[in-house]
Amino acid sequence: MNQSQKTGIQKEVSLTHLNTLGLHSVAPLFMNITSETQLIELNEKGFFSEKRPFVLGGGSNILLSSRLSVPVLKMSIPGMEMIDDDGKNVQIQVGAGENWHELVSFAVQNGLGGIENLALIPGTVGAAPIQNIGAYGVELEGLFLSLKAYDLKSSSFRTFSKSECQFGYRDSIFKRELKGQMVVTSVTLRLSKKDHIIHDSYSALRYYLTQNKIQNPGIEEIYQAVINIRQSKLPNPSDIGNAGSFFKNPVIKQKQYNELKDNWEGIPGYPNGPGWVKVPAAWLIEKAGWKGLRSGNVGTYKTQALVIVNHGGATGQEVLEFSKKIQKSVSEQFGIDLIPEVNIVH
Ligand code: EPU
């Protein structure tokens, strides 16, 4: 048996069905990871010594080039374990390869709260802390306790507490100083068993609940409401390729916001710490004339301008060029630089 058979390394693997934008891409080397020991074995065989691998989760937040220059580790470590229960809260440790939405559904079905606003976010559990996923007024950091990761630099496992992850808006240390260095293998979350704290003040959620005459919603109602809102606004990647929000919502100085307000009536803005305002990128893109626009195989989604879609057959390069045109146009009209939320992988 040669080395590649022993370690399960595959060569020239298509990633087209492993990224939600549906971009054609090939990995020169590919390895499906189902256990922590596999990482140690691969390291001992020198698999990580030449080039640091790219860790692929659900492929829902990435823009891939047509041929990657690095090996790919597909994170598929399974498992879900209750490691603590004090009667009020539980601690649940989840394998990085588990599907995020399945975890949310499992929690809600079992009366566990705190995670319901994060229903239907595509991707894996291991990817969730990398960009501190968030939606409808809740971010992962609110329920996060710790994670375990394999450090490719020191070849050892390490546990990160919440503060060590340095979470920010769609941000963590794993997108900055430790970019590409840690392979998350499990995540531990705290969920409530009773006296759930309901987060229903996000405007789109509030509107939905009022329209549907839902008073005093419980975790199941919030879960269902979020699913219905997302399905009505965001494209399902199995119908049309996309990676959710393509850019982050920019945070600008209050002074700049005030100046923009004089020229652009109704520009939305949400306070984001003293002297700073967060402006919806979707609004800027829409006002710059890009909503629902199509250029070749790429476009923005008709009901959410922040989502770039692949109408079929687009390449990573095409998507990138399209996104740059949007950036240029928003910069020219508003003086605001949009920063991609998706991870661009070469
Ligand atoms: N808006 C427009 N045009 C549009 C869509 C929205 O002008 O085409 C404006 C509206 O004023 C709306 C505001 O933008 O009130 C905010 O829109 P929305 O509630 O849809 O949220 P978002 O800021 O565009 C963020 C997250 C989403 C998350 C939603 C709901 C980011 C980058 N995106 O989007 O996350 O689902 O809030 O909480 O923070 C993702 O990260 O991939 C993602 C989908």
Side-chain angles (χ1 to χ4, degrees), residues 163-220:
S163 63
E164 285 171 325
C165 293
Q166 298 179 17
F167 289 124
Y169 165 57
R170 293 297 195 278
D171 197 33
S172 74
I173 193 166
F174 310 109
K175 276 180 103 172
R176 301 190 309 264
E177 293 89 325
L178 298 180
K179 190 171 172 148
Q181 191 182 319
M182 297 289 162
V183 183
V184 176
T185 56
S186 72
V187 176
T188 302
L189 304 174
R190 181 197 284 117
L191 300 173
S192 53
K193 281 184 88 175
K194 56 182 184 185
D195 305 331
H196 306 300
I197 297 167
I198 299 297
H199 299 272
D200 62 357
S201 56
Y202 192 89
S203 62
L205 187 52
R206 211 43 346 268
Y207 180 78
Y208 177 94
L209 294 169
T210 310
Q211 288 295 101
N212 289 278
K213 300 187 172 52
I214 300 168
Q215 285 163 356
N216 304 318
I219 58 173
E220 277 200 51

Side-chain angles (χ1 to χ4, degrees), residues 60-61 117 121-122 131 133-139 169-170 202-204 229-230 233-234 242-250 266-268 270 278-287 291 301-307 339 341-342:
S60 56
N61 203 45
N117 294 52
I121 294 184
Q131 58 148 343
I133 57 168
Y136 304 99
V138 171
E139 284 184 311
Y169 165 57
R170 293 297 195 278
Y202 192 89
S203 62
I229 299 169
R230 286 190 78 102
K233 281 192 189 165
L234 296 170
N242 75 91
S245 302
F246 194 90
F247 301 102
K248 289 192 196 190
N249 286 326
I267 181 171
Y270 306 95
K278 190 187 270 186
V279 181
W283 190 93
L284 300 170
I285 297 169
E286 180 174 339
K287 291 292 167 200
K291 188 166 179 171
Y301 194 55
K302 54 184 188 291
T303 55
Q304 224 308 0
L306 188 49
V307 178
I339 297 167
E341 197 220 87
V342 298

Side-chain angles (χ1 to χ4, degrees), residues 169 247-252 256-257 259-261 263-270 277-292 300 304-307 325-339:
Y169 165 57
F247 301 102
K248 289 192 196 190
N249 286 326
V251 177
I252 61 172
Q256 186 183 6
Y257 179 70
E259 284 162 11
L260 283 169
K261 237 179 152 177
N263 296 320
W264 297 88
E265 207 194 311
I267 181 171
Y270 306 95
V277 179
K278 190 187 270 186
V279 181
W283 190 93
L284 300 170
I285 297 169
E286 180 174 339
K287 291 292 167 200
W290 291 89
K291 188 166 179 171
T300 56
Q304 224 308 0
L306 188 49
V307 178
K325 284 186 198 157
I326 294 179
Q327 280 173 311
K328 188 164 177 278
S329 161
V330 167
S331 168
E332 281 167 2
Q333 297 203 44
F334 300 98
I336 295 177
D337 293 328
L338 293 179
I339 297 167

